[in-house]
Amino acid sequence: MPFNYLGRILIAGGLLFVAVGVIFLFAGRIGFPVGRLPGDMTYRGSRFTVFAPLGTSLLLSILLSLLFYFLSRFRR
């Protein structure tokens, strides 16, 4: 019985990742600079590139915090 729930959670998580990926794909095409926000840093060396999306991470953290806050308010 618990494996049924685990399977459903994994499927839901996978679908959530696909949905977020599609949102990011279309956001980049309509002009929202996902990954190129102020605070995102890129270092290009002679043989490697390091990308640190600090601005994008901060924006996602704020948006997800607000989303979970409002979801918790509606569940009460």
Side-chain angles (χ1 to χ4, degrees):
M1 191 78 151
F3 290 112
N4 289 336
Y5 293 117
L6 179 63
R8 290 178 184 178
I9 290 172
L10 289 174
I11 290 172
L15 291 175
L16 180 67
F17 277 122
V18 169
V20 169
V22 169
I23 289 170
F24 278 126
L25 180 68
F26 286 120
R29 289 187 182 181
I30 63 171
F32 186 71
V34 176
R36 291 178 280 136
L37 294 173
D40 292 346
M41 294 181 278
T42 303
Y43 173 76
R44 292 196 171 113
S46 60
R47 296 184 182 197
F48 63 92
T49 301
V50 176
F51 179 67
L54 299 176
T56 303
S57 298
L58 183 64
L59 178 66
L60 278 174
S61 175
I62 291 169
L63 291 175
L64 287 174
S65 295
L66 289 172
L67 174 71
F68 288 130
Y69 172 75
F70 287 122
L71 286 176
S72 70
R73 298 291 286 177
F74 287 128
R75 286 195 82 186
R76 289 184 186 183

